[in-house]
Amino acid sequence: MKLFVGLGNPGPKYERNRHNIGFMALDQIAGDHGFSPWKSKFQALICEGVLGGEKVLLLKPQTFMNLSGQSVGEAMRFYKLTPADVVVLHDELDLAPGKARIKQGGGHAGHNGLRSIHSHIGADYGRVRLGIGHPGHKDAVAGYVLRDFPKADEGWLDDLMRGISDGAAELAKGDGGKFMNAVALRVAPPRSSNSTPKAEAKADKAAKEEPAPDTRSPLEKLMDKFK
């Protein structure tokens, strides 16, 4: 079993906050992949489903961010999981908005939710770091993460959430490369080279320069040689 943990703060007041992007990602996965209804357990909202042949539990701690580890630790003990079975999806100030990165183990970089999880289960769990950008000064961080995403961010935010959902099965199977490819296809979809104006102009030019087919009969071709 895999445990996907989304970080955020409970209640409608915080629902669209930058700090709640982890909750948003789990909501997208649950909705797209037919997970069970959310229910209260382990001081959290949880639901279950299957991704890539793996049973997966989605968990949104309801303890507020600073105490997230209590809920994660409780669920881990109940299901007899190890930190290697856990993936935490969280907001990341040090990544540009719309960027995502995966990481196994490491420090908490001052993130209060991760700090709490570290204290309860150690540092050896997986993370999906979801970029929200930095306000520019450390004194502005608290206000920044607790403000809603502006309308201008809705486009990339929707793409990022869909990409995470697209790659969720690969994440459950532990294939970080394929997961990141799925995210990239949503966030920065590749263009067909033939769809660009430059490529179309090049193709038109080549078509114009291509000689017309020779429709002469063999006898006409032979006679032309002696002209």
Side-chain angles (χ1 to χ4, degrees), residues 95-108:
L95 283 178
K99 298 289 184 184
R101 295 288 183 271
I102 55 174
K103 180 180 179 182
Q104 190 70 37
H108 54 66

Side-chain angles (χ1 to χ4, degrees), residues 38-226:
W38 293 96
K39 63 181 181 181
S40 295
K41 196 173 183 180
F42 312 124
Q43 304 176 69
L45 291 176
I46 66 167
C47 65
E48 295 180 4
V50 176
L51 294 170
E54 295 274 351
K55 186 175 180 181
V56 177
L57 179 74
L58 305 182
L59 182 143
K60 298 190 294 185
Q62 300 294 291
T63 54
F64 285 93
M65 185 69 80
N66 295 8
L67 300 174
S68 299
Q70 294 179 6
S71 172
V72 178
E74 201 175 319
M76 276 184 62
R77 287 189 296 275
F78 182 85
Y79 290 106
K80 298 180 173 59
L81 302 176
T82 70
D85 300 318
V86 179
V87 180
V88 177
L89 296 89
H90 66 91
D91 57 304
E92 178 58 72
L93 289 163
D94 294 328
L95 283 178
K99 298 289 184 184
R101 295 288 183 271
I102 55 174
K103 180 180 179 182
Q104 190 70 37
H108 54 66
H111 191 292
N112 287 333
L114 298 184
R115 191 198 307 273
S116 176
I117 293 172
H118 269 52
S119 70
H120 284 267
I121 72 168
D124 297 330
Y125 55 91
R127 305 99 191 268
V128 177
R129 304 161 63 216
L130 304 173
I132 60 169
H134 198 287
H137 194 282
K138 64 179 183 179
D139 292 343
V141 165
Y144 177 76
V145 299
L146 292 175
R147 280 199 293 273
D148 286 0
F149 283 104
K151 278 198 174 294
D153 287 355
E154 287 178 1
W156 68 254
L157 182 60
D158 185 60
D159 287 342
L160 181 59
M161 295 298 99
R162 290 175 185 275
I164 289 165
S165 179
D166 290 347
E170 306 301 341
L171 188 63
K173 289 188 284 188
D175 194 329
K178 286 186 178 179
F179 168 72
M180 288 303 300
N181 285 343
V183 174
L185 284 171
R186 285 282 189 179
V187 175
R191 291 190 191 184
S192 164
S193 61
N194 293 330
S195 68
T196 64
K198 193 172 181 181
E200 285 171 2
K202 194 173 179 182
D204 287 345
K205 185 179 178 185
K208 287 173 185 173
E209 291 174 353
E210 188 177 320
D214 191 344
T215 58
R216 295 173 298 166
S217 69
L219 181 60
E220 286 172 326
K221 289 178 185 177
L222 183 63
M223 289 173 64
D224 282 347
K225 283 186 180 179
F226 294 99

Side-chain angles (χ1 to χ4, degrees), residues 27-37 47-51 58 165:
D27 286 338
Q28 186 81 40
I29 292 170
D32 288 350
H33 296 278
F35 272 58
S36 66
C47 65
E48 295 180 4
V50 176
L51 294 170
L58 305 182
S165 179

